[in-house]
Amino acid sequence: MRTPTLPGFNTEAFNKYFKNTSWLMLARVGSLFIKMLVTAVLLPNYLGASLVGTYNYPLMFLAFFAGVCTLGTEGLVTRELLRKPHLKDVLLGSAFRLRLMGGLIALPLIYAAYFIVVNISPEPLAASFPQLAFVSLTCIIQAIQIIDSYFQSRAEGKYIMLVQVGGNIISVLFKALLIYLKAPIDYLIGSLFFDVLIIQLGYIAVYKKKGNSIFTWKYNSVVAKRLLLLGWPLALSTIFATIYLKIDQLMIGSMLGSTDLGVYSTVVQYSESWYFIPAAISAALFPAIMNYRIQDPILYYKRLSNLYELMAFISLSIAIIMTFITPTLFSLIYNKRPEFMQGIPVLQIHIWSGVFAFLSTANSQYLIAEGLTKISLYRTLFGAGSNILLNILLIPKYGILGAAYGTLIAYFITAFSVFIYPQSRQQGFAMLKGLFFAHSLQRFFTKKR
């Protein structure tokens, strides 16, 4: 079968990265389907809205500290491996040590933040401290996932697929067994640690199968300092991105209680689970785009424009389809749990946030390539601040529907705040043109003439 091409991409290069994208997409689709089967179908019907809020709370809370745990190393190490593949062991070893240190630093911050939220929340928190403390240990073991960057840099997405899909299958079977045995909520929350552990062991196994060993990794203080210097804006950006991604759930849990949090967190899964698509496409095509950054700047910007149009097409298609099928979908899945029906209009609003999330993800690759990581930091700061303010204003009055509107507006602000800076303003116009398919329409009418 002939591999499809995109306008502006060299056919041979595109074929290579398209295959890698296909593996990454398969990994994400497989993981998405498996996870959704448990977290959006089996668990809500087994636990009900209130306990679903309890189950989701630890991971939601820990997400705010993801930037501290990873120190901005993910995309950065992939880029460095593309430029200096001969320094593989040094780059991976130094990044691993940084992530390990980040995880250890994050733990006391997580515990302190939990007790602060306990004291200021009008409602009891959905999860207890022991539940949160156990799951928080994942911050340390996730350091090994830097191996993912190695496979991305080599366009070997099939190995990422094997690890993620295999790990999620094991996770699903384990959770299904717990549900069958009618296990209490503590066991299900404890399985969240098991999920992460299986993925890390899978990465080690596949990395070894490829003839590598984590024991050959070397720490280099000079390389580590450089990674830290380049990565701290990305780490802060991750923190602020998490704030505008997750602050609505934290505020709902604190202001409205675990039942509303359970409904909203279930709804968000149907919306945010699609975000693997721009991440997978951008990560896989990033090397192809980077190849022409210096050699052919015109083609470089053309590729970015094509990428924005692709993101707009996919995200708009998802938003339109989900808007129409949500009532039927919820009626079929939650017919025995009527409390989830209030999530229908919430999802119909929240799903449109994905349009701006898709564009932002693609644009982030440009900011990394151009070394404009501070702009990435500033724009997520705008998004985080606007989401907090909007949630404060809208949640008390409109409940979880207000949180969905707040998220939609915040995502829009985040995506197009690049207009503020002269260095990224051109890309703001490119995203806007991509959203309205300007290049495709121009080609269409040119051919008509």
Side-chain angles (χ1 to χ4, degrees):
M1 187 177 78
R2 187 170 177 266
T3 305
T5 59
L6 288 177
F9 284 82
N10 175 269
T11 303
E12 183 179 349
F14 180 79
N15 286 346
K16 174 184 176 183
Y17 295 112
F18 177 82
K19 290 176 182 177
N20 186 50
T21 304
S22 299
W23 283 115
L24 289 172
M25 292 285 283
L26 183 58
R28 303 304 195 268
V29 170
S31 298
L32 168 65
F33 176 78
I34 295 166
K35 282 184 176 180
M36 290 292 285
L37 178 64
V38 173
T39 58
V41 180
L42 296 180
L43 282 175
N45 280 291
Y46 172 61
L47 297 174
S50 181
L51 287 179
V52 165
T54 302
Y55 173 83
N56 287 322
Y57 193 86
L59 284 183
M60 179 271 295
F61 197 91
L62 295 181
F64 290 94
F65 299 88
V68 179
C69 295
T70 63
L71 297 176
T73 53
E74 299 99 326
L76 183 59
V77 171
T78 301
R79 186 188 74 176
E80 292 300 302
L81 286 168
L82 282 166
R83 292 176 173 178
K84 305 168 185 176
H86 61 286
L87 294 179
K88 177 196 71 175
D89 286 335
V90 172
L91 286 167
L92 292 175
S94 300
F96 173 74
R97 181 83 67 89
L98 287 175
R99 288 170 68 111
L100 205 58
M101 292 169 56
L104 291 170
I105 293 170
L107 291 181
L109 297 177
I110 291 167
Y111 303 153
Y114 179 85
F115 287 112
I116 291 172
V117 175
V118 165
N119 290 321
I120 65 175
S121 295
E123 294 284 336
L125 295 191
S128 67
F129 178 73
Q131 291 169 334
L132 177 74
F134 182 72
V135 179
S136 68
L137 296 176
T138 58
C139 294
I140 297 175
I141 64 173
Q142 278 185 332
I144 202 68
Q145 199 155 324
I146 196 64
I147 293 173
D148 188 288
S149 297
Y150 167 75
F151 287 119
Q152 286 196 37
S153 70
R154 293 172 57 87
E156 293 179 337
K158 63 180 178 181
Y159 298 107
I160 298 174
M161 183 275 294
L162 289 172
V163 171
Q164 293 188 355
V165 174
N168 280 287
I169 289 174
I170 295 172
S171 170
V172 164
L173 293 175
F174 185 59
K175 284 185 174 61
L177 177 63
L178 291 176
I179 293 172
Y180 175 76
L181 296 174
K182 300 187 184 303
I185 185 65
D186 284 342
Y187 285 79
L188 288 164
I189 290 177
S191 71
L192 296 172
F193 177 84
F194 174 76
D195 295 346
V196 178
L197 178 61
I198 288 295
I199 294 292
Q200 309 315 305
L201 293 175
Y203 273 114
I204 293 174
V206 173
Y207 188 69
K208 183 179 179 181
K209 187 177 180 180
K210 286 289 293 178
N212 302 297
S213 172
I214 62 173
F215 297 107
T216 62
W217 290 355
K218 301 174 183 177
Y219 175 76
N220 182 291
S221 60
V222 176
V223 173
K225 286 178 183 178
R226 183 170 183 274
L227 290 175
L228 194 58
L229 182 65
L230 294 172
W232 75 262
L234 296 174
L236 285 179
S237 178
T238 299
I239 293 171
F240 291 127
T242 304
I243 290 174
Y244 81 81
L245 277 168
K246 301 293 184 181
I247 193 64
D248 47 1
Q249 295 183 54
L250 182 64
M251 295 177 73
I252 287 169
S254 300
M255 299 166 68
L256 303 179
S258 59
T259 300
D260 282 318
L261 174 60
V263 174
Y264 190 81
S265 61
T266 300
V267 162
V268 165
Q269 290 185 70
Y270 287 96
S271 182
E272 293 182 355
S273 59
W274 297 103
Y275 295 178
F276 75 88
I277 296 177
I281 292 176
S282 298
L285 294 181
F286 182 51
I289 294 173
M290 278 288 289
N291 282 342
Y292 283 88
R293 178 172 171 264
I294 297 176
Q295 300 175 24
D296 192 340
I298 295 176
L299 186 55
Y300 170 60
Y301 287 108
K302 187 176 182 180
R303 284 181 169 184
L304 285 168
S305 298
N306 291 332
L307 186 60
Y308 295 142
E309 282 203 5
L310 178 63
M311 294 299 185
F313 175 77
I314 296 172
S315 59
L316 286 169
S317 299
I318 292 170
I320 292 169
I321 292 170
M322 288 298 295
T323 299
F324 284 103
I325 71 169
T326 292
T328 303
L329 184 68
F330 272 49
S331 296
L332 289 173
I333 295 175
Y334 306 116
N335 60 319
K336 295 182 180 179
R337 292 287 185 177
E339 67 265 33
F340 286 100
M341 293 302 106
Q342 64 173 310
I344 293 173
V346 178
L347 179 54
Q348 290 174 319
I349 297 300
H350 197 284
I351 193 68
W352 289 90
S353 305
V355 176
F356 308 113
F358 273 52
L359 291 171
S360 293
T361 301
N363 180 247
S364 293
Q365 298 297 331
Y366 166 81
L367 296 177
I368 292 174
E370 297 296 328
L372 301 175
T373 52
K374 287 186 179 180
I375 292 180
S376 180
L377 168 61
Y378 296 148
R379 76 171 186 175
T380 49
L381 179 58
F382 288 139
S386 60
N387 206 8
I388 292 172
L389 179 60
L390 288 164
N391 280 311
I392 290 172
L393 295 173
L394 297 175
I395 289 177
K397 189 172 183 179
Y398 300 105
I400 57 176
L401 187 62
Y405 277 113
T407 297
L408 175 61
I409 298 169
Y411 278 36
F412 171 82
I413 292 172
T414 301
F416 291 104
S417 62
V418 293
F419 275 108
I420 298 173
Y421 309 99
Q423 306 98 306
S424 59
R425 194 167 295 150
Q426 180 188 20
Q427 291 301 298
F429 285 111
M431 283 195 292
L432 204 56
K433 290 178 180 178
L435 185 59
F436 293 99
F437 306 104
H439 292 292
S440 294
L441 290 173
Q442 184 180 22
R443 286 195 297 269
F444 175 79
F445 286 113
T446 301
K447 288 180 180 179
K448 281 286 185 179
R449 291 174 185 173

